[in-house]
Amino acid sequence: MMLDSTTCTATAPSVSAKHAVRLDGIGKSFGDVTALRDVWLKINHGEFLTLLGPSGCGKTTLLNMLAGFLTPDTGEVFIGNDCVTEMPPHQRDIGLVFQNYALFPHMSVAENVAFGLKMRKIPREEIRRRVAEALENVRLGAFGDRKPRALSGGQQQRVALARALVIRPRLLLLDESLSALDKNLRSDMQVELKEIQRRVGITTIFVTHDQGEALSLSDRIAVMAHGEIQQLSTPAEMYRSPANSFVASFIGDINQIGGMVERIEGEEALLVLGANNLRLAVPLSRCQGVKAGDGIRLFVRPEHLRLTQEGGQLRGILRARSYQGTHVEAFLDVDGADLVRVRLNRPGLAEALSQGAELGLDIDAAECLVFPQEDKQP
Amino acid sequence: MKAKHKKLLARTGATVLITLILLFVSVPSVVVIMSAFNSTAILSFPPQDLSLRWFERAVTYRDFQRGFINGLIVTAWTSGIALVIGTALAYAIDRFQFRGKDLLETILLSPLVIPHFTIGLGVLMLASQVSMRGSFATVILAQVILVLPFVLRSVYVSLRNLDRRYELAAASLGASPLQVLLRVDLPLLLPGMFGGWLFAAILSFNEFSAALFVTSHATQTLPVAMYTYVREYTDPTMAAISTIFIVTTSITLVLANRFLGLRKVLAIEESK
């Protein structure tokens, strides 16, 4: 079945494509470096999918293949029903927004937006109408005559978006498009981008290294490392049930404690953790491929730890506190672990604590994750 | 108080130094310009009485008129040909990998280190072989070789500063490679091309040592005509024609700056 789908032949055009984009076994090397290794991916119509990963993980290579700037060594790229593996970029009907927006500096805002329509030889009257509409759509109706340079970063971003969307592309590609904006503007743009994307209903692929952006914008996230997709799932699923230790440590804040599996008992794994041989029972559903006697790493998020004055499963010394407005983060020095991060929702409690105080921690075992010690760690 | 004094001292020192440098650079021109207004027939400084008679002689002297027209013809052809060839070569060197690329670059830039008269002599000897001595084609050939590095360099720098993402964005918007070249690359390279062309034109118009070898009486350019003149006469006509030269070039540069933004042309990195 898979073999059959890798041939680059279009399905009958009358059949509407099941997926907006399909990547079948994409591989790519640059010299000795493998950038992508057998990547399979199906993206639904109207979906907002994020390719997330550290630099060098292959996400940009994948984007360049979708845009047509690179050709894969192996595998095929489908957009709708069309196999576009070898198709040059200007025939692909794809909207693209770069990190620095790449607005043509020698053209006005309106000319920038009109560029794609001119290339399509659309009548001048219609171009005028659609450009005005597109600029209105991103709330820049009055800025058509300005040069891009005269606009703020956020405005340039919106022009780039309008320029990409006005050609009514089959697919919208966003390459680190929000990274150049300052923090406040970025969260505003996130909301706006998501709103426009939903209104237009366009299938969107967003490339970023910022996990916060990925979580807040995406319908689904594909986390990449070493040229492979590590996990493909919804943001909530990704956050609660990461597939491996790489995803666990890449998405959100998480603490790690080393230990081993003492034995498996029914639906639970009994773990021995840290320097003080803490015993903890974790549901097997939260453990990945571990058996009795294995060395493991326990992953637990800051909000799943409870700080106590007396007792507690772990004991640690309070090293630092950081006030975050809605909550306070406390950092505890626990034997056998790196500095453990705890989230306190009642700031009052943390203020009563003095640095250097010895405190206890209770672990919410049902929310922990256990991965084998040797799990691939990029 | 002390810091204030230091600052004042530094500022005064800098002003004096800059004034001296400006004087040093402009003194020869100033001397020539002033002696052009001398009424006597001896090329001397400072002038005794003021007069415009040498300007009159300069603009009515047949060889100067001829030399000026010849200079314009040679300059127009030279700068135009150098612009086309230089741009094409710069593009090839920037965009394509090919064998002998480094060698090509070295050869193309070599006129910067080879004396102009060597090139003039070489072209003269070649031209004699094919009986084209003193023709416009020969003069233009020699000049193109001389000014090509300037065009090449200028366009090459612009190409290096051109953000490739403009091209990718244009391609994604449906522009074919030719359309990308015409609608994105060309407009963005225009300042660099213009800068290279302007340098080439001014250089070619002023060039003397190579032109001395390759021009004949019929094709001699203004600097060569001036040299011939100065070997026979020593009156201030020379100073007058020099003054006209300086004023014309200055006006050209000021106009170029006014209408085309020479600042932007020269500060290529900034335009990015």
Side-chain angles (χ1 to χ4, degrees):
Chain A
M1 173 199 98
M2 286 208 160
L3 280 178
D4 182 50
S5 61
T6 53
T7 53
C8 194
T9 47
T11 334
S14 57
V15 186
S16 74
K18 215 172 140 202
H19 295 102
V21 176
R22 210 173 83 214
L23 301 176
D24 284 1
I26 301 293
K28 179 80 184 176
S29 303
F30 299 104
D32 294 338
V33 184
T34 305
L36 290 172
R37 204 189 306 263
D38 198 31
V39 172
W40 296 76
L41 185 61
K42 285 173 180 165
I43 301 167
N44 299 316
H45 292 284
E47 186 174 22
F48 194 115
L49 182 120
T50 298
L51 298 173
L52 174 68
S55 64
C57 72
K59 58 187 195 298
T60 303
T61 308
L62 208 53
L63 183 97
N64 283 334
M65 266 166 204
L66 285 162
F69 304 144
L70 282 176
T71 312
D73 296 339
T74 61
E76 305 290 353
V77 181
F78 291 86
I79 297 176
N81 275 327
D82 305 327
C83 177
V84 299
T85 315
E86 306 275 343
M87 187 187 276
H90 66 277
Q91 292 169 3
R92 289 196 180 197
D93 258 331
I94 282 178
L96 183 56
V97 179
F98 286 99
Q99 177 174 6
N100 69 346
Y101 323 129
L103 297 175
F104 306 128
H106 58 296
M107 299 181 196
S108 71
V109 165
E111 284 165 343
N112 262 280
V113 177
F115 188 84
L117 300 174
K118 272 188 199 150
M119 294 299 111
R120 283 166 175 70
K121 304 223 162 30
I122 283 167
R124 195 182 305 172
E125 210 29 59
E126 193 187 337
I127 291 183
R128 253 225 331 255
R129 194 173 49 72
R130 275 169 73 174
V131 167
E133 208 176 273
L135 285 176
E136 216 48 67
N137 204 9
V138 293
R139 301 186 286 113
L140 286 173
F143 292 80
D145 294 332
R146 303 255 188 114
K147 280 282 164 72
R149 208 178 298 216
L151 302 186
S152 71
Q155 290 169 333
Q156 291 186 30
Q157 160 89 66
R158 301 212 295 269
V159 175
L161 194 60
R163 185 177 69 174
L165 287 175
V166 76
I167 59 171
R168 292 172 192 158
R170 296 189 284 182
L171 182 64
L172 180 64
L173 302 178
L174 306 172
D175 184 10
E176 303 265 8
S177 305
L178 299 172
S179 306
L181 301 175
D182 66 54
K183 205 174 167 218
N184 287 332
L185 198 54
R186 205 183 313 166
S187 58
D188 287 351
M189 271 315 293
Q190 279 180 18
V191 175
E192 189 161 342
L193 179 65
K194 186 69 192 179
E195 201 270 321
I196 291 172
Q197 189 262 340
R198 198 168 299 156
R199 185 149 32 99
V200 180
I202 187 170
T203 310
T204 302
I205 299 177
F206 180 44
V207 163
T208 186
H209 61 270
D210 182 327
Q211 47 99 14
E213 257 168 39
L215 288 174
S216 67
L217 285 168
S218 319
D219 294 322
R220 282 192 303 163
I221 301 173
V223 173
M224 297 187 67
H226 303 312
E228 287 174 305
I229 294 178
Q230 303 289 320
Q231 183 173 6
L232 175 66
S233 61
T234 63
E237 164 113 3
M238 181 95 39
Y239 188 80
R240 182 161 189 267
S241 307
N244 56 39
S245 59
F246 172 75
V247 178
S249 41
F250 197 73
I251 302 269
D253 295 322
I254 204 154
N255 297 300
Q256 302 187 25
I257 303 170
M260 63 167 291
V261 182
E262 194 174 47
R263 61 179 192 280
I264 309 267
E265 214 174 72
E267 288 303 298
E268 290 187 326
L270 292 175
L271 311 175
V272 184
L273 293 173
N276 297 325
N277 291 335
L278 163 72
R279 289 193 154 63
L280 187 71
V282 176
L284 269 184
S285 61
R286 307 291 293 164
C287 303
Q288 293 269 321
V290 295
K291 56 182 193 302
D294 281 358
I296 52 99
R297 290 196 83 74
L298 177 91
F299 288 80
V300 57
R301 298 210 181 267
E303 62 270 31
H304 299 135
L305 288 168
R306 213 170 43 255
L307 209 57
T308 60
Q309 297 268 27
E310 304 292 323
Q313 290 163 303
L314 289 171
R315 300 291 293 175
I317 312 286
L318 183 67
R319 288 290 178 221
R321 259 190 325 239
S322 115
Y323 182 67
Q324 301 284 330
T326 55
H327 64 273
V328 170
E329 298 212 314
F331 296 87
L332 270 75
D333 203 347
V334 174
D335 279 347
D338 303 332
L339 220 50
V340 170
R341 187 195 285 252
V342 187
R343 177 165 300 192
L344 301 172
N345 290 321
R346 286 176 299 133
L349 174 63
E351 269 153 38
L353 303 172
S354 57
Q355 243 161 55
E358 195 186 322
L359 297 163
L361 282 174
D362 281 325
I363 300 172
D364 185 349
E367 294 294 334
C368 289
L369 282 155
V370 177
F371 295 110
Q373 183 81 63
E374 304 79 6
D375 193 11
K376 51 188 161 187
Q377 186 80 304
Chain B
M1 211 45 193
K2 218 173 163 190
K4 216 172 172 183
H5 273 125
K6 258 188 192 166
K7 216 169 167 182
L8 191 70
L9 198 70
R11 193 176 299 166
T12 318
T15 313
V16 169
L17 187 66
I18 289 170
T19 313
L20 282 177
I21 292 172
L22 288 180
L23 271 177
F24 177 71
V25 170
S26 53
V27 149
S29 321
V30 172
V31 169
V32 169
I33 291 171
M34 286 177 73
S35 58
F37 293 93
N38 204 340
S39 62
T40 56
I42 302 156
L43 196 53
S44 68
F45 181 84
Q48 316 296 319
D49 287 305
L50 295 183
S51 150
L52 288 175
R53 57 188 280 216
W54 304 115
F55 283 94
E56 199 189 322
R57 176 159 165 78
V59 295
T60 52
Y61 186 63
R62 278 289 302 159
D63 274 10
F64 285 173
Q65 287 177 340
R66 194 64 236 161
F68 180 74
I69 305 277
N70 286 347
L72 285 185
I73 293 170
V74 170
T75 298
W77 280 100
T78 300
S79 54
I81 293 172
L83 180 65
V84 173
I85 299 180
T87 303
L89 286 172
Y91 191 82
I93 290 173
D94 183 52
R95 295 302 166 89
F96 304 113
Q97 285 299 329
F98 50 87
R99 279 174 57 153
K101 184 166 141 175
D102 291 345
L103 184 69
L104 179 70
E105 227 179 318
T106 313
I107 292 174
L108 287 171
L109 297 179
S110 66
L112 293 177
V113 291
I114 296 173
H116 284 190
F117 68 80
T118 312
I119 289 167
L121 185 63
V123 172
L124 173 68
M125 286 160 74
L126 282 176
S128 310
Q129 292 286 320
V130 292
S131 323
M132 282 180 67
R133 261 175 81 171
S135 72
F136 270 122
T138 311
V139 183
I140 290 164
L141 174 68
Q143 302 271 304
V144 166
I145 295 173
L146 291 175
V147 301
L148 196 55
F150 294 92
V151 180
L152 185 74
R153 210 63 222 163
S154 179
V155 177
Y156 185 68
V157 169
S158 302
L159 266 170
R160 293 308 298 254
N161 284 333
L162 181 73
D163 190 340
R164 295 295 283 273
R165 275 176 289 201
Y166 293 136
E167 297 175 1
L168 298 182
S172 80
L173 289 167
S176 67
L178 182 69
Q179 283 168 323
V180 172
L181 191 71
L182 294 180
R183 288 176 175 270
V184 178
D185 289 340
L186 205 62
L188 292 176
L189 292 178
L190 222 50
M193 289 169 65
F194 174 72
W197 175 82
L198 190 66
F199 271 129
I202 290 175
L203 227 90
S204 166
F205 196 72
N206 288 321
E207 207 282 328
F208 167 66
S209 31
L212 182 63
F213 284 89
V214 291
T215 51
S216 66
H217 185 73
T219 58
Q220 71 180 2
T221 55
L222 194 51
V224 179
M226 285 161 71
Y227 170 74
T228 316
Y229 185 87
V230 91
R231 290 210 306 183
E232 290 174 42
Y233 313 95
T234 49
D235 60 37
T237 310
M238 269 306 292
I241 193 83
S242 300
T243 305
I244 294 172
F245 229 114
I246 293 168
V247 170
T248 315
T249 312
S250 305
I251 288 173
T252 310
L253 283 173
V254 168
L255 286 181
N257 190 23
R258 185 99 177 77
F259 294 108
L260 298 149
L262 195 66
R263 246 172 244 278
K264 214 165 80 188
V265 171
L266 297 177
I268 293 158
E269 293 86 343
E270 213 186 13
S271 71
K272 195 181 165 185

